[in-house]
Amino acid sequence: MSFSIAVSGASGYAGGEVLRLLAGHPDVEIGAVTAHSSAGERLGTLQPHLVPLADRLISDTTAENLVGHDVVVLALPHGASGALAAQLGEDTLVIDAAADHRLESSHAWESFYGSAHQGTWPYGLPELPGQRELLVGARRIAVAGCYPTTVLLGLAPAFAAGLVEPEDVVVVAATGTSGAGRATKPHLLGSEVMGGMSPYGVGGVHRHTPEIEQGLSRASGEQVRVSFTPTLAPMPRGILATSTARLAPGASAQSLREAYAAQYDDERFVHLLPEGQWPTTKQVVGSNHLMLQLAVDERAGRLVVCSAADNLTKGTAGGAVQSMNLALGLPEAAGLGQLGVSP
């Protein structure tokens, strides 16, 4: 059986990445590709790498152009998904790649996003404890954010096993420029970015902070507070997160490694690297894989986890396709066989 799928935001980085993965999916048929300002243009003009889809005309992103598909992926700016999703029937699987339906707390949403909360959907990060079962048969899915994907998969096993403390969690993560979307921004010009790194969203104001705290609190069973500082790196895609947390009494390097192995040894896309090997963004470019490594800083009494993922693939489009497969009863890895690119 083939499922028809429409992709909104097809002219952007996230929408283009969704289409790249779907073009190799054995069980879907790509239907409408939509956007707003680029409606009427050939998809190949904006996404020339999507050769099989290059002659498709981009339609306007309206409910009328999206209805009638088995699956609709909304790769839209934050705040734009809720009203559109409300016009799509409950028999349609709607996958929101934006943040509109990720948070459980309306207060957190309103504080960080400044608009009315649109409700909470099942969270599209299957490797989190207990999450995969919630996605099977779901009709609405909120794909995890790129930073939260990389940080949560890096820290969740330690919290779930009670091996770290919920206070004093610190995350510093670097991402490529594609994380800011495709719109032209002066500070993202090549001449501004190349050859240097810069922080942004400093002081606990980045919008992914409450999503990270929500996921770690679920894993821990108690409230977790996170100090999160993102940085911009001179690369087009990828995230490298360094996450640290204070060790709980009795925790050791051995018990932590055993907890991570128990969580991830049977996972297809999350990999605890052999001791002494550290993740790099280069290992995961273009793939749905996440690499991680851990160490214990005995002097500081802290767990240190380094995790690397492609922000557009595992951090967005890959998470969408993986969650879609679970919701539709397809093999979870369908359409996600791409490995990283080297050099």
Side-chain angles (χ1 to χ4, degrees), residues 300-320:
R302 300 185 72 83
L303 167 68
V304 181
V305 180
C306 293
S307 49
D310 187 315
N311 59 299
L312 292 179
T313 316
K314 183 59 176 169
T316 307

Side-chain angles (χ1 to χ4, degrees), residues 2-342:
S2 182
F3 295 92
S4 63
I5 182 165
V7 177
S8 68
S11 60
Y13 289 140
E17 188 74 350
V18 170
L19 288 167
R20 181 179 76 88
L21 298 180
L22 292 176
H25 197 297
D27 300 303
V28 304
E29 178 181 345
I30 299 172
V33 292
T34 78
H36 278 310
S37 60
S38 56
E41 295 190 50
R42 286 176 64 255
L43 182 63
T45 303
L46 300 167
Q47 307 281 18
H49 64 298
L50 300 177
V51 176
L53 304 171
D55 289 331
R56 294 287 191 92
L57 288 181
I58 299 174
S59 305
D60 192 17
T61 298
T62 64
E64 290 76 17
N65 287 330
L66 297 174
V67 295
H69 295 85
D70 298 310
V71 184
V72 173
V73 177
L74 301 176
L76 302 172
H78 301 317
S81 300
L84 192 58
Q87 301 177 64
L88 302 175
E90 291 298 321
D91 57 337
T92 302
L93 170 57
V94 182
I95 301 174
D96 188 2
D100 294 30
H101 301 94
R102 295 173 188 161
L103 297 182
E104 295 174 347
S105 167
S106 57
H107 174 72
W109 172 268
E110 291 162 5
S111 297
F112 279 83
Y113 290 88
S115 60
H117 188 224
Q118 298 295 317
T120 308
W121 292 357
Y123 193 60
L125 189 52
E127 293 90 355
L128 288 182
Q131 202 61 37
R132 183 172 276 113
E133 294 75 14
L134 300 178
L135 297 172
V136 176
R139 295 292 91 185
R140 297 290 188 271
I141 295 173
V143 180
C146 54
Y147 278 129
T149 293
T150 312
V151 175
L152 292 178
L153 294 179
L155 283 178
F159 278 101
L163 296 173
V164 290
E165 301 285 359
E167 304 88 12
D168 193 20
V169 180
V170 179
V171 177
V172 178
T175 190
T177 56
S178 61
R182 197 168 191 172
T184 302
K185 302 179 177 81
H187 72 286
L188 297 179
L189 294 172
S191 56
E192 301 291 335
V193 173
M194 288 189 296
M197 290 185 65
S198 58
Y200 67 100
V202 181
V205 300
H206 192 278
R207 288 174 167 181
H208 284 175
T209 301
E211 187 181 344
I212 294 170
E213 291 182 342
Q214 174 179 281
L216 293 180
S217 298
R218 286 177 182 171
S220 172
E222 52 187 318
Q223 184 63 49
V224 176
R225 284 282 177 248
V226 176
S227 174
F228 172 51
T229 304
T231 62
L232 182 65
M235 57 186 184
R237 56 201 294 167
I239 290 177
L240 180 66
T242 301
S243 307
T244 78
R246 205 163 59 220
L247 296 176
S252 65
Q254 180 178 344
S255 63
L256 281 158
R257 194 158 192 93
E258 290 173 352
Y260 277 75
Q263 183 67 38
Y264 292 140
D265 274 358
D266 293 330
E267 288 292 347
R268 174 73 175 267
F269 298 116
V270 181
H271 310 280
L272 174 62
L273 294 170
E275 292 190 60
Q277 184 178 350
W278 291 90
T280 70
T281 56
K282 199 72 171 178
Q283 296 164 350
V284 294
V285 169
S287 80
N288 195 51
H289 295 268
L290 179 143
M291 308 287 189
L292 63 89
Q293 183 59 278
L294 60 90
V296 169
D297 183 338
E298 297 284 0
R299 189 177 67 84
R302 300 185 72 83
L303 167 68
V304 181
V305 180
C306 293
S307 49
D310 187 315
N311 59 299
L312 292 179
T313 316
K314 183 59 176 169
T316 307
V321 173
Q322 188 178 348
S323 299
M324 177 195 77
N325 289 337
L326 286 166
L328 297 176
L330 299 172
E332 186 174 338
L336 297 172
Q338 305 86 351
L339 299 177
V341 177
S342 181

